Amino acid sequence: MKEDIRTVKVEKVAGQSGSRTVSYPARIVAAKEARLSFRIAGPIDSIYVKAGDFVRKGDTVASIQERDYLLQFSATEAEYRQIKAEAERVIELAGRNSATKNDHDKAYYGLQQITAKYEAHKNALADTRMTAPFDCFVETVFFHAGETVGAGMPVVSVIGDEAPEAIVNLPSSDYIIRDRIRKSYCTVDAYPGLLFPLRLSGINRTANLNQLFQARLTLAPVSGTIPSPGMSANVFIEYEDSGRNYVSVPISALFKDGEGSGVWVIDKESRVRKRSVVPADIRRDGTVLITDGLEAGESIVTAGVHSLKDGQKVRPVTGPSATNIGGIL
């Protein structure tokens, strides 16, 4: 019986020279964000900003009606001036041995007490004004003039005007090799075709409930374009794999092999042999990084992998390789 020989597309496996690039889904967030609140309670007198406004550090954002706090401070100020004058006279007399130590102590500690009360009421009056803690954009205004708020209740939310950050979650296998990061960049769905360089700004030292470590990477603008917080992105991080040489294959070469993945390797007799492999990452060019199971230079089937049987004779047809452009290997 004539053996069935199938024609298959074949490529040689390409090496990756000790590095691998991993992609992660990400979201863009503001580098700084804050919910501003008053340190005191009372009815809001004015809100001076609206959503989208740019505010400089120290500018007034909102104010509370100061009437009651002004009266409180005025009364305390009068009391403070009176006690301060009396205490200074007694302290001076005690210095001349014309007043008892008991009189001196009463004057001294009485002055300390009224000074603390005076400063507290002075601060409360100043706290009727809410100011921007840094240069920022207003995100949301939660209250309006006339509404009463309690101390610590968020009134306005703001975000800083610095370059935004991309937040990704790293699995523990990548977290432990964070010192091998070569470079990173991201793509943003809203800006197709642009690659935004990234700089690692920090990684949490504690894993979340999913055993992932959150990393923050600062974006650099490209041609004056900078993504806005809330946009979705894909972050690509290149790791140096010290002493390890991985290979890449077209994604079309992979098929399911039990619980893992496999490829068809062509032997010297032009027969296909099933080979289990360990894929690490799918890359943007449609190739898959393989960490174990293949060697650079081996020939594999890249099309029609689901219709083959182990040991089957094939007729290899080579074409332009997606992983070995120019046929270098």
Side-chain angles (χ1 to χ4, degrees):
M1 183 176 178
K2 187 177 181 180
E3 184 176 8
D4 180 26
I5 301 178
R6 288 186 175 273
T7 301
V8 294
K9 185 178 178 183
V10 173
E11 287 187 18
K12 285 190 176 182
V13 176
Q16 291 301 301
S17 65
S19 69
R20 66 187 180 98
T21 301
V22 184
S23 63
Y24 310 89
R27 58 188 176 90
I28 307 300
V29 300
K32 286 184 182 179
E33 51 187 331
R35 291 194 168 200
L36 307 184
S37 59
F38 289 104
R39 300 179 65 178
I40 56 175
I44 295 177
D45 184 52
S46 297
I47 300 287
Y48 300 101
V49 297
K50 62 182 184 299
D53 284 353
F54 177 73
V55 185
R56 291 287 184 187
K57 179 180 179 180
D59 287 352
T60 302
V61 174
S63 63
I64 277 182
Q65 292 178 14
E66 66 175 22
R67 180 194 62 189
D68 295 340
Y69 293 99
L70 181 58
L71 290 173
Q72 175 181 261
F73 173 70
S74 297
T76 303
E77 184 179 31
E79 184 182 7
Y80 166 76
R81 293 186 184 281
Q82 177 189 353
I83 294 176
K84 183 174 184 291
E86 294 176 355
E88 286 176 345
R89 283 195 297 271
V90 173
I91 292 171
E92 183 180 355
L93 288 173
R96 300 176 183 177
N97 295 320
S98 298
T100 66
K101 184 177 186 305
N102 185 54
D103 290 337
H104 172 274
D105 290 346
K106 283 184 178 179
Y108 178 78
Y109 292 115
L111 179 59
Q112 278 194 328
Q113 184 176 16
I114 191 61
T115 300
K117 182 179 178 181
Y118 170 79
E119 292 295 335
H121 289 171
K122 181 180 178 181
N123 291 339
L125 180 60
D127 287 339
T128 59
R129 292 177 61 253
M130 177 193 296
T131 58
F134 44 79
D135 292 352
C136 56
F137 290 95
V138 176
E139 282 286 282
T140 308
V141 177
F142 300 107
F143 290 92
H144 301 283
E147 295 184 277
T148 299
V149 296
M153 292 180 62
V155 176
V156 177
S157 66
V158 298
I159 60 172
D161 68 336
E162 297 94 339
E165 297 179 328
I167 288 186
V168 299
N169 290 307
L170 305 180
S172 56
S173 58
D174 291 339
Y175 170 77
I176 62 177
I177 60 170
R178 60 191 181 281
D179 58 330
R180 299 183 195 169
I181 294 177
R182 283 183 174 178
K183 63 180 180 181
S184 56
Y185 60 91
C186 76
T187 60
V188 179
D189 296 347
Y191 301 105
L194 291 183
L195 298 180
F196 295 91
L198 297 174
R199 174 179 53 82
L200 182 65
S201 55
I203 302 179
N204 287 0
R205 297 289 173 164
T206 303
N208 60 23
L209 294 177
N210 296 318
Q211 294 300 298
L212 299 173
F213 295 81
Q214 188 179 91
R216 300 176 73 99
L217 302 102
T218 303
L219 279 81
V222 175
S223 302
T225 301
I226 192 74
S228 298
M231 292 182 174
S232 58
N234 284 304
V235 167
F236 298 86
I237 300 179
E238 182 181 328
Y239 296 90
E240 178 181 357
D241 291 295
S242 57
R244 300 180 66 180
N245 291 317
Y246 294 157
V247 298
S248 63
V249 300
I251 192 171
S252 60
L254 291 178
F255 60 85
K256 191 168 181 61
D257 180 27
E259 295 298 320
S261 300
V263 296
W264 294 112
V265 179
I266 309 250
D267 65 15
K268 295 180 180 179
E269 298 177 353
S270 295
R271 295 186 181 276
V272 292
R273 303 297 178 184
K274 184 189 296 185
R275 181 83 63 80
S276 295
V277 295
V278 180
D281 182 51
I282 299 176
R283 303 188 298 182
R284 296 179 63 225
D285 60 359
T287 62
V288 180
L289 194 71
I290 303 296
T291 60
D292 191 28
L294 280 177
E295 297 291 337
E298 289 188 289
S299 296
I300 59 170
V301 177
T302 60
V305 295
H306 299 291
S307 60
L308 298 174
K309 296 179 181 180
D310 195 38
Q312 185 173 4
K313 186 86 169 179
V314 294
R315 181 180 296 108
V317 174
T318 58
S321 171
T323 61
N324 185 26
I325 298 173
I328 296 175
L329 291 176

